[in-house]
Amino acid sequence: MTTLLIAEHDNNTLADANKKAMDAATKIGEDIHILVAGKDCGDIADNASKIEGVSKVLLCDDELYQNHLAETYADLIVSIADNYNAIMAIASTTGKNFMPRVAALLDVPQISEIINVIDSETFERPIYAGNAIQTVKSKSNKKIITVRAPSFQAVGDQDPSSIENINSGENKSLSEHISDELTKSDRPELTSAKVIVSGGRGMQSGDNFVLLEGVADKLGAALGASRAAVDAGFVPNDYQVGQTGKVVAPELYIAVGISGAIQHLAGMKDSKIIVAINKDEEAPIFQVADYGLVADLFTAIPDLDAALD
C-alpha cells in the first residue's frame, strides 16, 4: 500500500508536525512518499527526505504553489492520485483548506482529524467536541485523510531518500493570493510548543496577559487563550486553543483563569501534564488537571513568576 503525505511548510521551514503525521502514515502504508510543493523549496525537500519512513520525495517547485492555494494544490494532488491508496495531510489551516477539495474531485469520502490508526482501513477521530471517539472503517479504494498531528509521536531521522521532480499543473486562475497578515512572535508556535501558558476570561483584560508573558518567557513557553478571552478581545485569534482554535498536546499546559468549557478541553486535554489555576474550585478544568491550584491568579501568577527566578 502506497501512501502520499502532503508536506506542511512555508517555503522556508518544514513544520515539525510532519514527523508526527509520518507516524500515522507508517501505520497505514509501507511505501510512503512526501509531496513538497512550493516556491524555492529545494531545502524543504532535502529535509523531508530525511524523515524516518520516507521512501521518496516528490518536489514541485513552481511559483504557482508559493501560497498553497487550495485550487492549485488540489489539482496537483489529483494529477498524481492514481499512484496512491491513501493521501494524507496535517489538519492545519492549510490542510483543511485543500483536502476537502481533493476528496470532492476524486469523489471519495474524507476522514477528518484522525487521532489513531487501528489498521489501514480503520481510524479513530474525536466527535462531540472530543467527548466521544468515533471509530471509522473505510472501504474506499482511496483514503483521503487529515491527521491531528499532536495525537501522534514524532518519528526520527534517516539517511536521505531520493527526490524526484514532478511537473506543475495548469494555472486555472480560480483564486488569487492577496496578502498575508501574520502575527510575529519570538515565542514558540502554539501547535509545536512543548510548554503552553494559556489565559481565560479570568484574566479580566488584555493588559493582564502581561502577567502570563513573564512566566511564559521564563519557561520558553507559547502563549494561548480560551475562546472566551479571544471573543472578549483580550488577545488575537491566533492565540485560541480549543475545538474552533488550535489543537495542542504539549508536555506541559498551564491553564490560568480558564473554567474549562468543553470546547477548550477538546483542544488541550491530550497534553502530557495539565496545571490549572482558578479561584473557583468547581471549575470543570480541575476534572482534567493533573495539578490544580485554587487561588486568585493575580496573587498566584506573580508568586510563580518570582519562584521561577
Side-chain angles (χ1 to χ4, degrees):
M1 188 171 186
T2 307
T3 300
L4 178 67
L5 174 62
I6 316 302
E8 179 91 6
H9 66 94
D10 61 2
N11 295 308
N12 296 308
T13 305
L14 184 67
D16 292 337
N18 288 285
K19 288 190 173 183
K20 295 184 178 181
M22 178 57 67
D23 181 36
T26 54
K27 296 175 180 177
I28 297 174
E30 297 177 358
D31 194 18
I32 303 166
H33 298 174
I34 289 185
L35 171 63
V36 175
K39 174 62 175 171
D40 297 328
C41 53
D43 289 343
I44 301 294
D46 290 338
N47 291 332
S49 72
K50 300 172 185 176
I51 296 177
E52 183 180 3
V54 179
S55 56
K56 182 193 291 186
V57 173
L58 305 179
L59 173 60
C60 189
D61 196 327
D62 191 296
E63 188 174 356
L64 185 60
Y65 307 106
Q66 180 173 1
N67 298 302
H68 317 298
L69 297 178
E71 292 79 5
T72 54
Y73 246 52
D75 286 347
L76 175 64
I77 295 166
V78 169
S79 71
I80 59 175
D82 287 344
N83 301 323
Y84 300 99
N85 305 100
I87 300 173
M88 305 177 66
I90 296 165
S92 63
T93 303
T94 302
K96 291 177 181 179
N97 194 20
F98 68 78
M99 285 295 275
R101 188 177 181 87
V102 172
L105 291 171
L106 293 174
D107 195 24
V108 295
Q110 175 174 308
I111 305 170
S112 301
E113 299 201 43
I114 65 168
I115 59 171
N116 187 31
V117 177
I118 297 175
D119 58 42
S120 61
E121 293 184 339
T122 314
F123 313 92
E124 291 182 343
R125 58 183 300 271
I127 57 174
Y128 301 130
N131 283 305
I133 303 300
Q134 181 183 56
T135 301
V136 180
K137 189 175 184 69
S138 173
K139 289 293 187 179
S140 173
N141 291 329
K142 200 174 297 295
K143 313 290 191 298
I144 305 299
I145 301 167
T146 60
V147 179
R148 187 174 281 192
S151 298
F152 294 88
Q153 297 297 316
V155 300
D157 297 321
Q158 67 175 22
D159 293 332
S161 56
S162 63
I163 299 176
E164 176 185 330
N165 288 287
I166 63 173
N167 295 326
S168 59
E170 176 188 357
N171 186 359
K172 298 179 181 178
S173 301
L174 296 176
S175 62
E176 178 184 358
H177 177 261
I178 303 298
S179 65
D180 287 326
E181 294 184 14
L182 304 174
T183 301
K184 295 183 178 180
S185 174
D186 293 331
R187 297 189 181 90
E189 205 278 327
L190 261 176
T191 54
S192 61
K194 293 183 178 180
V195 181
I196 296 175
V197 180
S198 283
R201 193 196 305 273
M203 298 303 298
Q204 298 183 6
S205 74
D207 292 339
N208 289 330
F209 265 76
V210 71
L211 296 173
L212 301 185
E213 291 176 2
V215 173
D217 288 342
K218 290 172 183 177
L219 294 174
L223 270 181
S226 66
R227 178 171 180 173
V230 171
D231 287 350
F234 296 171
V235 289
N237 289 342
D238 56 350
Y239 279 46
Q240 185 176 328
V241 172
Q243 184 185 19
T244 54
K246 296 179 179 177
V247 177
V248 300
E251 294 178 8
L252 173 62
Y253 188 90
I254 302 177
V256 183
I258 294 175
S259 63
I262 290 174
Q263 291 82 358
H264 186 76
L265 298 183
M268 47 65 72
K269 67 179 183 179
D270 289 330
S271 304
K272 304 300 183 292
I273 297 176
I274 299 172
V275 176
I277 301 174
N278 199 299
K279 65 181 180 181
D280 178 11
E281 63 182 18
E282 300 296 328
I285 191 71
F286 288 124
Q287 296 177 14
V288 299
D290 298 285
Y291 300 94
L293 175 62
V294 179
D296 185 337
L297 69 88
F298 295 105
T299 300
I301 294 303
D303 288 347
L304 174 59
D305 195 352
L308 289 171
D309 286 333

